Amino acid sequence: MNNSKFNSIISELGQLTDKQSRELEIALQAQDPIATILRQIESRLIEHPECPHCYSNTINRHGKINKTQRYRCKNCLKTFVAT
């Protein structure tokens, strides 16, 4: 989305009804349940790192794919995601 279109949307927010404003606020605050679960799984891997292939606890971050963090085992050199 370009800046002019974004600014146009922002300027129109003042014209929303009270009901529309509340619905927008609820929609913006709502958290995606799948994203919440993925964050929990990711934090568990950070707290207790372990390769799913060789069970080594020496892993490194190895880039991202589709906004998902990848990891690489220092022992077996295989890559994996938290899920």
Side-chain angles (χ1 to χ4, degrees):
M1 177 181 296
N2 61 32
N3 285 341
S4 63
K5 189 172 183 178
F6 179 75
N7 289 334
S8 171
I9 292 171
I10 295 296
S11 66
E12 292 175 5
L13 289 177
Q15 299 171 5
L16 295 177
T17 65
D18 289 341
K19 181 180 177 185
Q20 291 172 332
S21 294
R22 282 192 301 274
E23 289 176 3
L24 177 61
E25 184 178 349
I26 290 168
L28 290 174
Q29 290 178 353
Q31 293 188 6
D32 181 17
I34 294 172
T36 303
I37 292 168
L38 289 175
R39 279 194 300 276
Q40 290 173 349
I41 292 171
E42 180 90 12
S43 67
R44 193 176 336 166
L45 182 66
I46 292 170
E47 292 170 8
H48 304 289
E50 182 177 74
C51 172
H53 306 287
C54 70
Y55 305 106
S56 171
N57 62 355
T58 54
I59 62 173
N60 283 340
R61 290 180 176 217
H62 192 66
K64 288 188 176 186
I65 185 164
N66 297 329
K67 300 181 182 180
T68 303
Q69 180 66 53
R70 294 197 54 76
Y71 297 92
R72 183 173 183 195
C73 177
K74 287 184 176 181
N75 190 33
C76 69
L77 302 179
K78 292 186 179 182
T79 62
F80 57 94
V81 295
T83 56

